[in-house]
Amino acid sequence: MSLEQRITEARARLEPLVESIEQPAPDRIDATIPADKLLDVASALIKDGWSYLTTITGLDLGVEAGEMAFLYHFSAGALLVTLRVHVPRSEPIIPSVCGIIPTATLYERELMEMFGVTITGTPNTERLFLPEDWPAGVYPLRKDFDPSQPEIVVQKDAAE
Amino acid sequence: MAETQNNNLLEEIIDGITSWSRINSPWVIHFNSGSCNGCDIEILATLTPRYDVERFGIKLEGSPRHADVLVCTGPVTRQQRERLQRIYEQMPEPRFVVAVGTCAISGGVFHDSYAVCNGIDSVIPVDVYVPGCPPRPEAIIDGIVKLLTSLKQAKEEQVA
Amino acid sequence: MNNGNGNKIANKFVVPIGPQHPALKEPEHFEFTVDGETVIDATARLGYAHRGIEKTAESRTFVQTLYMMERVCGICSHVHATAFSLCVEKLAEVEAPPRAQAIRVLVAELERIHSHLLWLGVGAHEAGFDALFMYSWRDREVVMDILEALTGNRVNYSANVLGGVKCDVTDAIRDQILTGIDYLEERTHHYYDVVTTDAAFLQRTRGVGTMTKEQAMRLGVVGPTARGSGVEQDLRVDAPYAAYDIFRVNRVVEQGGDLEARFIVRVKELFESYRIIREVLDNLPEGELTARMPRRIKEGEAITRVEAPRGELFYYVRSNGTDMPDRVKVRTPTIPNMASVLHLAIGHQLADVPMILAGIDPCFSCNDRSVRLKSAGGDDVWTWEKLRKYGIDYYND
């Protein structure tokens, strides 16, 4: 499939399900969707193995914006289709895609520990990268993460 | 060609250590405290035919309980900090530590990250620092040789 | 044992790994639940090398971040730097000149060669074939010398700058590369023979860790691991970047789906890399090595996917108009491969686990991992070395 064919196919799969589709780059298609549509649209993209979930990028849009965004990137040859889900920062909740993409568990574990998002139905809520003794409620990739707070300051010098 | 130059370098180093026959061959264990593997592959390279560090009697050991020298890479991630401490504690005295690579010396490019300490000596005492990103195998061997040379001198002073 | 001229065969060899004290209470890297010999569940924790890179990038300039991203992984440093540079260049709407893009391809293929030879050796060691480890790492030194001559360093070559490259190919370097490639190509024929005909080697690889094409696609496996299961996927072909649109790559795909197939893919990819390198050197475009890059980068988002030696490497960079990135997201190929392999381990014999994991070519420092085994008899913590020896002994009995 050429890139043009990929784009046509992507639009065909997305148009019945989403409000608007953007093309921010020659090889990228973006669609912003509400969280409750995520599973339906993701299923449409992976049907028949046309694309696979490459990764999920979490974005903290900031305390002022009051929103977080989760970008689900699907690779289809030369084309990258990204589903963008926005959630309120005060209560970030998204559904797990592990039901249809079991290997997404590693990505979802990373999002939970880094952003503090709740992912309903995810099979494994253990930390992936952060150590066991990392304090609860502290999310490094949030914009208001304060590395100087005492509970997480790592001892940088050998004890006397 | 580079290979000839490297051979000359090695010859110089060998000359420097042919005199320490009175020291038992040091048993070395290796620990990766969260490095990018750059240093580790150069350490591993010292075991391969071109550098062949085993001909100097340096033996790579599996357990800290039998080791004389701990060769460490990485900036020490939070997760590895305690483990590094315990490995050091398990080594019988006299024990020595070689910090290999810029990360092991100062944390390197990661030094102000929330996730790392500032290198090996922020956790345990270090005897030899081998700078480089990564240091080449000759430099690593040279660092261990410098340690052994000073060990030899210390032993001679003891006996005298 | 003779001198270090490659004639020596190691009788006994220990890959440098740290021991695991069973009494230490800490998260294990891998956790396998077994019923007798069979794995019934598998998961992993990856905190040992977590350095907080993505967060740290937010308080570095783009230039500083480039140096940091080179060090995400010392084995495939160049592809990381290339992917990051391409993202920033997209954001700044700057194109690196053709000679620079060609040199990026040249270094990338040299890196692929070093990485595949490294893996061949480590994979052989995992299976108990230490002679093959020694031979492949000795041969690998040829590539290390070339990379050092071309870029100034054996590892972490730092060939990229934002906007291009900072090393050039002189006639002397060109000759060194061609001579080295000729030698390696001859040696690679020998490696191909070993991985396809050596009976002891095949016993550890044929029919082991098999993944069908359908499974591989569903699990989202990438790189040689996917291509060994017949998945026709290689970003250099599917979505050419740098100069891969000019220096075309042939996908190397095998249908076997097992560990043997993955070995074959990587060895055949070596031949393909030698060919690409010769083509690049024959047709190196004249011109500049860099394009001017602004210090402040326009607001926006850019995504670049490149074919690292282990598979698809994903970079997302978001800028906010300043000289520091707003967000850098990196997804290395080992993550989806590890996820799929954990899924795949279920139903396999424990003795096959070391080779299955080695087959995805995980980061070398994974050798320092420990393994928790849960069974009806209770919990046990093994060192990786113990698991590896278990696998070797299992097949030797």
Side-chain angles (χ1 to χ4, degrees), chain C residues 129-330:
Chain C
F129 296 90
D130 281 345
L132 185 53
F133 168 86
M134 287 296 177
Y135 280 124
S136 57
W137 275 57
R138 183 206 59 178
D139 289 339
R140 182 176 156 267
E141 288 295 322
V142 172
V143 169
M144 307 305 274
D145 284 343
I146 289 172
L147 283 162
E148 187 182 12
L150 176 57
T151 68
N153 205 357
R154 290 163 49 94
V155 179
N156 291 337
Y157 333 109
S158 231
N160 278 286
V161 290
L162 299 177
V165 296
K166 58 161 125 76
C167 55
D168 204 359
V169 180
T170 62
D171 285 340
I173 290 172
R174 190 195 125 97
D175 289 342
Q176 184 178 353
I177 297 174
L178 289 170
T179 308
I181 299 299
D182 285 344
Y183 168 79
L184 284 174
E185 189 166 44
E186 204 193 294
R187 295 289 305 152
T188 305
H189 285 294
H190 165 74
Y191 296 130
Y192 185 75
D193 283 339
V194 170
V195 305
T196 51
T197 63
D198 184 287
F201 200 80
L202 288 173
Q203 191 190 35
R204 299 303 308 283
T205 57
R206 188 164 278 175
V208 173
T210 306
M211 227 185 323
T212 63
K213 181 172 174 177
E214 188 270 336
Q215 268 178 320
M217 288 175 64
R218 197 168 34 84
L219 293 171
V221 172
V222 297
T225 311
R227 292 192 282 280
S229 285
V231 180
E232 309 246 341
Q233 184 198 83
D234 184 325
L235 282 162
R236 297 173 294 169
V237 179
D238 306 327
Y241 52 92
Y244 285 112
D245 52 346
I246 302 170
F247 303 106
R248 298 205 160 266
V249 176
N250 301 307
R251 288 191 206 96
V252 174
V253 179
E254 292 288 312
Q255 305 300 325
D258 58 2
L259 207 47
E260 182 194 355
R262 287 170 218 147
F263 269 93
I264 293 174
V265 165
R266 289 194 180 92
V267 173
K268 281 189 176 172
E269 282 188 358
L270 288 173
F271 290 119
E272 184 63 13
S273 291
Y274 304 145
R275 184 192 67 72
I276 298 165
I277 288 171
R278 289 190 185 110
E279 199 182 309
V280 171
L281 289 174
D282 265 346
N283 302 284
L284 199 58
E286 293 299 318
E288 299 294 306
L289 293 180
T290 60
R292 269 214 71 189
M293 282 285 287
R295 186 176 167 81
R296 271 187 255 276
I297 303 295
K298 256 192 231 183
E299 241 182 271
E301 286 181 337
I303 294 176
T304 301
R305 296 175 295 143
V306 299
E307 188 72 26
R310 293 181 187 78
E312 181 193 37
L313 171 65
F314 174 99
Y315 262 76
Y316 166 99
V317 179
R318 185 178 167 101
S319 55
N320 53 21
T322 67
D323 64 352
M324 305 209 298
D326 184 62
R327 175 89 172 91
V328 178
K329 159 79 182 171
V330 183

Side-chain angles (χ1 to χ4, degrees), chain C residues 83-125:
Chain C
F84 181 74
S85 300
L86 288 171
C87 274
V88 182
E89 286 156 18
K90 280 178 191 170
L91 288 166
E93 289 167 0
V94 169
E95 269 210 48
R99 189 176 178 87
Q101 302 282 33
I103 292 176
R104 280 176 173 168
V105 166
L106 178 65
V107 178
E109 294 308 312
L110 288 166
E111 181 173 71
R112 195 178 317 276
I113 293 168
H114 117 77
S115 177
H116 280 6
L117 285 173
L118 180 153
W119 171 84
L120 188 63
V122 173
H125 171 76

